[in-house]
Amino acid sequence: MTTLGVLYEKALAGEWFSLAETQHLWEAAPLDELMAVAHRVRCQQVGVGEVTWQIDRNINITNACASACLFCGFHVGAGNVPLFTTTKEAYRLKIAELLALGGDQVLLQGGLDPRMALADYEALFRWLKSEFPTVKLHALGPPEVVYIAERGGLSIRQTLERLVAAGLDSLPGAGAEILNDRVRQLISPRKASAAAWLEVMREAQRMGLLTSATMMYGHVETLSERLQHLLTLRDFQAEAVAEGRRGFLAFIAWPFQGNGTRLAAQYHYQPVTGTEHLRLIAVARIVLCNIPHIQASWLTVGHEVAAQSLWGGADDMGSIMIEENVVASTGRHFRMDKAGMTALICDAGFTPRQRNQAYELL
Ligand code: SF4
């Protein structure tokens, strides 16, 4: 087995890790050493001293969803959750609030809605762009794109082209969970396969759309499956770079929030600890040596752990999230405004820099 010292040297040299090496790093490295190495790698990759953040607003198109993922407490049918669909008036109010706070992007998500065809999304995007021409639409995600394409009898490419023509600006990395079909069959059997998730991202990147990679971990996956998810993203990123695509701009990982979900009821649920999340962020920074930004995920792990992760590989705090309903449906209600975000980053010892979706500093 390669010693930890050799693995640290590999990390600092930007060399690729095998699955066995990644697992050894996870299991054997003391957290303080791991975070120190990850921080040095972060400094090499994106510089020292600055932490980026963003203002955007989550708006859920609806909570009607045919996927019924076992880990989700948000969709209609999960417990006693009532059906809602966001009205035009509600969009107007929410986006006006976003603009007043200096934001320029909405994260629009809705799940797999059997009532909505591609033409309905096109109409919604066109209307939003006509009402708010300067607002960027960061919308849907690979599982929604697969679902819309299949129902419309279109290819992924055709579906994305029509969505972009209607106003889609960038594609969130939603629905990656763990890119392993054994895991996906257990937690979200009706949702896109791992290969389909990657194929949507491949096409989106070929079209020049900005994309990010995600991970929802800490449920039924084995450690090996969790770490292989990182290596799959790294390999995909290498393919993107070789093909001349921009690739993923960032990696965003959050632990499964089990409260009230069917998944937690069916499996032995042990919430991920702050220490485990710090380990995940550090290992991700080291293994994902070709993805520039690692996000701290304050919304799920809280302000304190997120601040600590800035010294262990993370360089971005994500959005202040004026509105968030999916994580909140599991009982997590962390909130942060603009002043809170900048204060948190300063208190952690970094300079806050507001950015846009392309990670350009504002
Ligand atoms: S996680 Fe998304 S796709 Fe799954 S049930 Fe919830 S809303 Fe639907």
Side-chain angles (χ1 to χ4, degrees):
M1 179 58 69
T2 316
T3 65
L4 282 175
V6 172
L7 293 182
Y8 296 159
E9 284 170 18
K10 280 188 76 157
L12 294 169
E15 293 177 16
W16 282 27
F17 279 56
S18 67
L19 181 59
E21 288 171 333
T22 310
Q23 191 150 346
H24 184 51
L25 191 70
W26 178 284
E27 290 173 335
L31 184 60
D32 57 344
E33 288 183 15
L34 190 61
M35 289 178 66
V37 173
H39 185 65
R40 287 179 63 190
V41 173
R42 171 251 211 249
C43 293
Q44 289 175 0
Q45 288 181 341
V46 294
V48 185
E50 291 186 345
V51 170
T52 47
W53 65 284
Q54 184 188 19
I55 299 176
D56 74 358
R57 173 161 206 156
N58 254 24
I59 301 180
N60 296 105
I61 301 167
T62 176
N63 65 345
C65 182
S67 185
C69 305
L70 273 69
F71 59 84
C72 176
F74 167 75
H75 66 278
V76 66
N80 296 317
V81 177
L83 175 68
F84 77 85
T85 301
T86 299
T87 62
K88 284 187 174 176
E89 192 49 37
Y91 281 116
R92 283 196 185 100
L93 291 171
K94 287 169 189 279
I95 296 174
E97 196 181 2
L98 167 77
L99 293 172
L101 286 168
D104 67 345
Q105 170 177 283
V106 287
L107 170 54
L108 267 185
Q109 293 189 305
L112 316 186
D113 185 348
R115 306 166 306 169
M116 293 270 287
L118 175 56
D120 300 307
Y121 289 102
E122 291 177 300
L124 174 63
F125 290 4
R126 287 209 164 92
W127 176 78
L128 286 166
K129 284 291 186 181
S130 69
E131 291 273 318
F132 302 101
T134 60
V135 170
K136 301 279 186 204
L137 298 183
H138 185 48
L140 307 178
E144 285 104 322
V145 173
V146 169
Y147 185 69
I148 296 165
E150 284 175 352
R151 292 179 68 238
L154 296 170
S155 68
I156 297 297
R157 178 76 181 209
Q158 289 168 325
T159 305
L160 284 171
E161 282 176 347
R162 284 182 49 178
L163 290 168
V164 168
L168 177 70
D169 289 296
S170 55
L171 190 66
E177 331 305 1
I178 298 289
L179 292 171
N180 173 289
D181 287 334
R182 184 197 76 83
V183 173
R184 301 177 84 75
Q185 275 302 310
L186 290 173
I187 68 172
S188 53
R190 298 183 198 157
K191 216 146 85 170
S193 67
W197 190 94
L198 291 168
E199 185 53 29
V200 173
M201 284 303 188
R202 188 175 283 115
E203 283 300 334
Q205 291 177 358
R206 283 176 179 156
M207 292 170 59
L209 284 172
L210 300 178
T211 58
S212 51
T214 65
M215 174 188 205
M216 195 273 291
Y217 72 101
H219 37 85
V220 304
E221 86 280 9
T222 63
L223 177 60
S224 168
E225 289 165 340
R226 181 186 298 182
L227 299 178
Q228 181 57 51
H229 177 95
L230 300 178
L231 301 189
T232 299
L233 293 175
R234 178 201 62 190
D235 295 350
F236 182 87
Q237 186 80 345
E239 172 205 305
V241 171
E243 207 186 281
R245 312 194 303 259
R246 189 159 180 197
F248 296 123
L249 294 180
F251 172 70
I252 308 152
W254 60 92
F256 168 49
Q257 306 298 310
N259 287 345
T261 65
R262 286 185 296 150
L263 190 62
Q266 290 179 19
Y267 292 89
H268 180 57
Y269 170 52
Q270 279 192 308
V272 166
T273 62
T275 303
E276 189 173 358
H277 187 70
L278 292 172
R279 184 168 292 275
L280 188 279
I281 293 289
V283 169
R285 171 57 80 184
I286 290 168
V287 171
L288 297 176
C289 52
N290 50 6
I291 296 182
H293 302 288
I294 305 286
Q295 208 177 98
S297 304
W298 64 268
L299 186 69
T300 49
V301 301
H303 301 188
E304 195 177 321
V305 175
Q308 287 177 38
S309 74
L310 299 177
W311 288 99
D315 69 301
D316 183 79
M317 284 292 285
S319 170
I320 61 170
M321 287 285 184
I322 298 162
E323 174 182 352
E324 201 289 327
N325 298 310
V326 178
V327 173
S329 70
T330 61
R332 303 289 268 182
H333 292 289
F334 293 118
R335 280 285 170 269
M336 189 129 58
D337 60 13
K338 201 169 170 176
M341 175 66 86
T342 52
L344 187 147
I345 294 170
C346 289
D347 289 349
F350 295 88
T351 304
R353 297 298 304 268
Q354 192 178 341
R355 65 163 174 86
N356 62 18
Q357 186 59 27
Y359 284 79
E360 295 160 342
L361 300 179
L362 302 179

